[in-house]
């Protein structure tokens, strides 16, 4: 069964303190791994797609990387406005285009 | 429309009543997904459509839940004989292409079953 596990559940950083969020996945025949950002009371908002091991994507202070078993979302010099829940999702295996999400990592950045 | 629209925004119902949740995707979007999200959790897959065809309904919890998208646009998620455990945020998402990874989410319908 396809599975996505994110860690840590919550992460508290000081402004400017870089860190990484982890997403471990189990899926046969990965079509894509996705990162979304979700602000309180809103729907998830798309950030990145990664398709194969070794691939990297960047957007402002965020950089996503992918291996055969996990993905990392690196946050460089975060700002308070980066505070949100970051969700990882996978598509693939026998699920066709079914997209499965992890529980998310809640990031708090303090000024 | 400019985004995915869901209605109602909030729904309060009594146990045993049927409810219908509506999703109006972005115009022209091919795929439509339904998720349920508990507080502090990620979205839980329920079902998805390509055009009007329901491709996967493996996430529907039981036979009280059903969904349709008869003309390949607006979709309705129906829950019959609601139970308190059905209380959650129900989210709809659409994507422009088959297999396209970029899901656009609506604001959701918060269902409360008393």
């Amino acid at each position: 069964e396809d599975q996505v596990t994110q860690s840590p559940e919550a992460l508290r950083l000081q402004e400017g303190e870089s860190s990484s969020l982890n997403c471990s996945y189990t899926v046969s025949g990965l079509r894509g791994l996705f990162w979304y950002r979700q602000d309180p009371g809103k729907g998830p908002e798309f950030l990145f797609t990664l398709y194969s091991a070794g691939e990297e994507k960047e957007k402002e202070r965020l950089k996503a990387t992918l291996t055969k078993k996990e993905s990392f979302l690196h946050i460089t010099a975060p700002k308070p406005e980066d505070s949100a829940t970051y969700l990882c999702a996978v598509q693939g295996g026998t699920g066709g285009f079914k997209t499965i999400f992890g529980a998310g990592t809640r990031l708090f950045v303090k000024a | 429309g400019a985004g995915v629209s869901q209605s109602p925004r909030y729904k309060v119902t009594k146990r045993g009543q049927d409810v219908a949740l509506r999703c109006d995707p972005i115009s022209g979007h091919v795929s439509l997904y339904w998720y349920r999200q508990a507080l502090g959790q990620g979205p839980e897959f329920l079902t998805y459509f390509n055009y009007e065809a329901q491709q996967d309904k493996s996430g529907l919890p039981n036979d009280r839940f059903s969904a349709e998208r008869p003309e390949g646009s607006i979709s309705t998620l129906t829950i019959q004989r609601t139970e308190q455990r059905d209380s959650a945020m129900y989210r709809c998402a659409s994507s422009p292409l088959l297999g396209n990874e970029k899901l656009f989410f609506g604001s959701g319908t918060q269902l409360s079953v008393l």
Side-chain angles (χ1 to χ4, degrees):
Chain A
E1 185 179 332
D2 300 344
Q3 198 164 4
V4 179
T5 303
Q6 291 188 246
S7 62
E9 290 185 11
L11 181 62
R12 297 180 183 276
L13 300 174
Q14 288 292 129
E15 184 172 4
E17 179 186 2
S18 301
S19 189
S20 295
L21 313 182
N22 177 265
C23 171
S24 298
Y25 65 91
T26 304
V27 62
S28 57
L30 180 73
R31 291 181 187 271
L33 183 140
F34 320 111
W35 284 97
Y36 285 79
R37 169 185 171 135
Q38 186 171 24
D39 292 300
K42 296 190 176 181
E45 182 179 331
F46 174 80
L47 292 172
F48 302 111
T49 308
L50 302 166
Y51 294 104
S52 57
E55 189 175 358
E56 298 182 353
K57 293 271 179 77
E58 283 189 69
K59 180 180 179 180
E60 296 180 356
R61 295 176 292 283
L62 301 176
K63 178 180 174 180
T65 62
L66 181 65
T67 72
K68 289 187 177 180
K69 294 184 178 181
E70 57 190 350
S71 176
F72 293 93
L73 184 65
H74 307 278
I75 303 177
T76 302
K79 298 182 177 182
E81 54 262 42
D82 295 322
S83 297
T85 296
Y86 291 86
L87 296 164
C88 174
V90 296
Q91 191 183 84
T94 56
F97 299 124
K98 173 177 165 181
T99 304
I100 303 298
F101 283 80
T105 293
R106 291 164 55 186
L107 175 66
F108 303 92
V109 182
K110 186 176 179 181
Chain B
V4 177
S5 178
Q6 292 188 245
S7 60
R9 184 70 180 89
Y10 301 94
K11 178 67 178 178
V12 180
T13 191
K14 291 183 179 180
R15 184 164 47 95
Q17 297 294 305
D18 297 351
V19 295
L21 312 181
R22 173 185 164 123
C23 173
D24 194 347
I26 294 171
S27 179
H29 276 202
V30 167
S31 299
L32 185 147
Y33 293 72
W34 282 101
Y35 289 88
R36 180 169 67 178
Q37 188 171 22
L39 199 61
Q41 296 297 312
E44 173 194 6
F45 172 83
L46 296 178
T47 185
Y48 86 96
F49 296 81
N50 286 336
Y51 301 103
E52 72 282 357
Q54 190 171 23
Q55 298 294 318
D56 187 323
K57 55 181 181 179
S58 62
L60 295 176
N62 49 61
D63 60 8
R64 296 185 297 105
F65 287 72
S66 63
E68 62 175 9
R69 193 186 184 199
E71 297 179 359
S73 180
I74 292 169
S75 178
T76 302
L77 177 70
T78 300
I79 308 173
Q80 296 180 311
R81 306 180 302 282
T82 53
E83 300 178 5
Q84 286 187 327
R85 59 178 171 158
D86 300 333
S87 297
M89 175 69 80
Y90 289 82
R91 296 199 184 274
C92 174
S94 68
S95 70
L97 298 172
L98 289 175
N100 187 282
E101 71 283 0
K102 193 170 184 177
L103 296 182
F104 294 80
F105 280 84
S107 296
T109 293
Q110 182 66 53
L111 175 65
S112 297
V113 183
L114 304 178

